[in-house]
Amino acid sequence: MSFNDLEGMIPIGIFNCSRLFGLFLNSNHLRGGVHSEIGSLKKLVMLNLGENNLTGKLPASIGNLTSLKEVTFNLNSLEGEIPGDIARLNQMVYLSLSVNKFSGGFPHAIYNFSSLEYLHIRNNHFSGFLRTDFGKLLPNLVELVMGYNYFKGAIPATLANISNLQRLLINDNSMTGSIPSSIGKLRHLQYVFLSSNFWVGDLQFLDALTNCTQLETLSASISRLGGNLPSSLANLSTNLRFLDLQDNAISGSIPQGIGNLISLQVLTLGGNMLTGSLTASIGKLLLLQVLNLSSNSISGELPSSIGNLTRLDQLYLANNSFEGTITRSLGNCTSLLHLVIGSNKLCGTIPQDIMRIQSLLTLDVSGNSLTGSLPEDVGRLENLVDLWAANNKLSRQLPQTLGNCLSLETLFLQGNYLDGVIPDIRGLIGLKEVDFSSNSLFGSIPAYLANFSALEYLNLSFNNFEGSVPTEGKFQNVSIVSVFGNKNLCGGIKELKLMPCSRRSNYSSGSKHSSRSKHVKIGKKKEEPADHFHTGGLP
């Protein structure tokens, strides 16, 4: 009766069905505990009560079901220790207790299940150590899934005895020691998740994993691993689709042969200490969808071969030392959702080619030395949610098409040399954070900004805005709005401490004149050749 909308308790009468072979009540809305009368079903071979709302502890009487081979209690709220009586279930092949609230040490009764092939106990509150003879007692395991618990200690050396192991998931625990090279003896490994533990040592185990020719997924992130990234990384299985080593202390450079891993879809090496350049062979990974190299010390130019990665939807290269211009070939990556290349040493202009990537949700080029203007075609990015181009050397006026980016929520352009008035962006009603500070923008502050109901932060400080500050809507909250450093602004709410507009008008007619003069000068600059700006010259 699986996959229905059954509610209430499990009827006690069902336990009178003494000849029942299989009981499947999974994926319903059943509540209450597992009744001790379940021990009456002595011919039961398969029991699945997973994906319900069951609570309480497992009854010891479950140990009476000595014919059981498959047991599933996953995705409930069962708690307490696993009763030792289950040690009698020595025909067990499949046991799933995942996503509950079970506690205590690794259930010693499970060590009696020598025929066990599938053990899933992830997302519980189990703790303690694994026995050193783990692999000798459970030699037939195909899947060992025990992530998101509180296990500690080292990986037992006898794990190498489990010759048919395909899935090893011990991520998100508190395990220590080094990752043993003997893991390479498990030649049938397909999925290896070791991340979020307290490993020590280097990456020698990667050399051993080259023996695992069926390997598809390898994750060892957030685990304090160090040492050089070995060149043997490029010799891992050509079936490898997911490689995650981010947030460790890995040094060295990305191997030249990384392009050998032709099946890679996700490559994350961010948050390490990698140096050197990004090899052009990265362009051979034609199936790559996610590339994360952020927060390293990688230098050199962005290889144009990145443009070969037409399936790429996430590119994170921020917080490195990339230099030179942004390769125009990025315009070929028309599936990109997130392009994050901020905080590098990039120069030149923002390529118009990027404006062809209409799928973009995030464009971050902030913290570089980019010059020229914000591309006129930015309005083609109608799906853009976050536009960050702060702290560069961008100049000229903001393009009118900016108002076409109707999905924008954050717009950070502070710390540039932008001038002119704010274009008509009244359609961007979803904006939450806007920062135009530290530029040379002038004109009046658009009154419609007061009506942006989602607005949480508006910084217009240190520009040349003039006239009265709106007093309605969002401008009534000084914790949201900043207009400091615009000497020709007046009015507004009293908390802004600006001079009243009537007084300003009588006091500084000369300043208006000088402001007009400034506008004329800027107009002249717009007549100069575009090359004046492209070569780094400033108005």
Side-chain angles (χ1 to χ4, degrees):
M1 303 180 74
S2 307
F3 298 98
N4 283 288
D5 291 314
L6 299 177
E7 299 179 352
M9 315 277 281
I10 299 174
I12 194 170
I14 205 168
F15 302 125
N16 293 328
C17 303
S18 58
R19 294 196 295 175
L20 204 60
F21 177 84
L23 176 58
F24 302 91
L25 298 174
N26 54 295
S27 305
N28 282 290
H29 307 293
L30 300 172
R31 55 183 172 80
V34 180
H35 202 281
S36 61
E37 291 295 320
I38 196 172
S40 302
L41 304 178
K42 295 184 179 180
K43 293 189 176 182
L44 206 61
V45 175
M46 295 176 287
L47 172 63
N48 192 339
L49 300 179
E51 299 185 53
N52 281 289
N53 301 311
L54 301 176
T55 56
K57 298 181 179 181
L58 288 182
S61 62
I62 201 170
N64 297 337
L65 311 181
T66 55
S67 296
L68 273 179
K69 293 185 178 181
E70 298 181 15
V71 175
T72 302
F73 287 112
N74 67 302
L75 289 161
N76 280 288
S77 295
L78 297 167
E79 59 187 12
E81 296 189 11
I82 305 301
D85 300 72
I86 71 167
R88 289 183 284 161
L89 311 182
N90 54 17
Q91 296 188 58
M92 190 74 69
V93 175
Y94 182 98
L95 177 60
S96 176
L97 307 175
S98 294
V99 196
N100 278 284
K101 300 177 182 179
F102 291 118
S103 57
F106 184 89
H108 276 257
I110 290 178
Y111 288 120
N112 201 45
F113 300 165
S114 58
S115 58
L116 193 63
E117 296 180 10
Y118 300 89
L119 177 58
H120 295 181
I121 57 174
R122 69 176 177 88
N123 289 82
N124 279 288
H125 304 304
F126 291 120
S127 58
F129 299 83
L130 303 181
R131 285 176 51 162
T132 56
D133 55 354
F134 184 96
K136 294 181 179 179
L137 297 173
L138 300 171
N140 293 306
L141 282 177
V142 175
E143 295 185 5
L144 175 57
V145 181
M146 48 184 284
Y148 297 98
N149 281 287
Y150 300 96
F151 292 115
K152 53 188 177 180
I155 296 175
T158 56
L159 193 74
N161 292 28
I162 311 176
S163 58
N164 291 321
L165 196 64
Q166 296 178 10
R167 297 185 178 221
L168 174 61
L169 285 76
I170 55 178
N171 54 292
D172 293 86
N173 281 284
S174 298
M175 301 194 72
T176 54
S178 60
I179 300 172
S181 294
S182 59
I183 197 173
K185 295 181 180 179
L186 306 175
R187 295 177 179 268
H188 297 289
L189 278 177
Q190 296 177 15
Y191 299 89
V192 178
F193 285 84
L194 307 170
S195 55
S196 298
N197 281 286
F198 300 110
W199 309 120
V200 295
D202 55 24
L203 303 175
Q204 287 185 351
F205 71 95
L206 290 178
D207 294 338
L209 283 175
T210 58
N211 296 324
C212 304
T213 57
Q214 299 176 49
L215 192 63
E216 294 183 21
T217 297
L218 173 59
S219 175
S221 59
I222 322 175
S223 296
R224 302 184 180 180
L225 293 168
N228 279 343
L229 191 64
S231 58
S232 60
L233 184 76
N235 298 325
L236 291 172
S237 169
T238 54
N239 293 313
L240 194 65
R241 294 184 289 112
F242 184 98
L243 176 57
D244 174 21
L245 297 174
Q246 70 178 16
D247 295 320
N248 283 292
I250 302 170
S251 54
S253 57
I254 298 172
Q256 293 286 332
I258 194 73
N260 296 341
L261 305 179
I262 55 174
S263 297
L264 264 187
Q265 296 177 19
V266 176
L267 174 59
T268 57
L269 298 172
N272 283 289
M273 299 185 293
L274 297 173
T275 55
S277 59
L278 178 56
T279 171
S281 73
I282 199 78
K284 296 180 180 179
L285 306 179
L286 301 181
L287 301 180
L288 203 62
Q289 297 175 26
V290 178
L291 176 59
N292 185 351
L293 305 177
S294 291
S295 300
N296 281 285
S297 297
I298 303 172
S299 57
E301 297 190 0
L302 298 177
S304 60
S305 61
I306 285 183
N308 298 339
L309 310 180
T310 56
R311 298 193 182 189
L312 203 63
D313 59 47
Q314 298 177 49
L315 178 60
Y316 300 101
L317 303 177
N319 295 300
N320 278 286
S321 296
F322 286 112
E323 56 195 18
T325 58
I326 301 173
T327 175
R328 293 181 56 187
S329 66
L330 277 173
N332 298 331
C333 303
T334 53
S335 298
L336 267 177
L337 300 176
H338 304 284
L339 174 55
V340 181
I341 53 178
S343 299
N344 280 286
K345 299 178 180 179
L346 298 169
C347 60
T349 59
I350 301 173
Q352 289 278 355
D353 308 74
I354 292 178
M355 305 304 124
R356 297 202 306 258
I357 312 175
Q358 296 184 344
S359 57
L360 270 182
L361 302 178
T362 302
L363 175 59
D364 178 9
V365 296
S366 57
N368 283 289
S369 297
L370 299 173
T371 55
S373 61
L374 193 64
E376 185 65 33
D377 287 344
V378 69
R380 298 177 64 181
L381 305 180
E382 295 180 357
N383 297 303
L384 198 62
V385 175
D386 302 304
L387 174 56
W388 302 333
N391 301 314
N392 280 286
K393 300 177 181 178
L394 299 177
S395 57
R396 302 185 185 179
Q397 297 184 10
L398 291 173
Q400 292 293 328
T401 62
L402 186 62
N404 297 336
C405 301
L406 299 179
S407 299
L408 272 182
E409 294 182 4
T410 59
L411 179 57
F412 294 153
L413 299 175
Q414 70 270 22
N416 282 288
Y417 301 105
L418 299 168
D419 60 32
V421 300
I422 296 177
D424 186 355
I425 57 172
R426 72 184 68 223
L428 310 186
I429 57 175
L431 278 173
K432 295 180 179 179
E433 297 178 277
V434 180
D435 197 334
F436 288 150
S437 63
S438 300
N439 279 287
S440 298
L441 298 170
F442 57 82
S444 59
I445 296 174
Y448 57 75
L449 293 174
N451 300 321
F452 280 17
S453 59
L455 199 61
E456 300 171 359
Y457 175 74
L458 175 63
N459 192 346
L460 304 175
S461 301
F462 298 103
N463 279 283
N464 298 312
F465 291 116
E466 59 188 3
S468 61
V469 177
T471 58
E472 304 297 323
K474 295 295 181 177
F475 284 90
Q476 295 179 347
N477 190 342
V478 292
S479 65
I480 291 178
V481 178
S482 176
V483 295
F484 186 78
N486 290 276
K487 60 184 179 180
N488 290 322
L489 283 178
C490 62
I493 62 172
K494 63 180 181 180
E495 288 84 353
L496 293 177
K497 299 179 181 179
L498 296 173
M499 187 176 293
C501 288
S502 57
R503 185 177 171 188
R504 168 65 70 183
S505 176
N506 295 330
Y507 177 76
S508 59
S509 60
S511 67
K512 284 190 176 182
H513 175 73
S514 63
S515 179
R516 287 196 203 98
S517 300
K518 179 181 178 182
H519 293 191
V520 172
K521 290 180 181 179
I522 289 174
K524 289 182 178 179
K525 285 293 181 184
K526 285 191 286 185
E527 295 174 2
E528 294 183 8
D531 288 342
H532 172 76
F533 299 96
H534 291 183
T535 56
L538 301 176

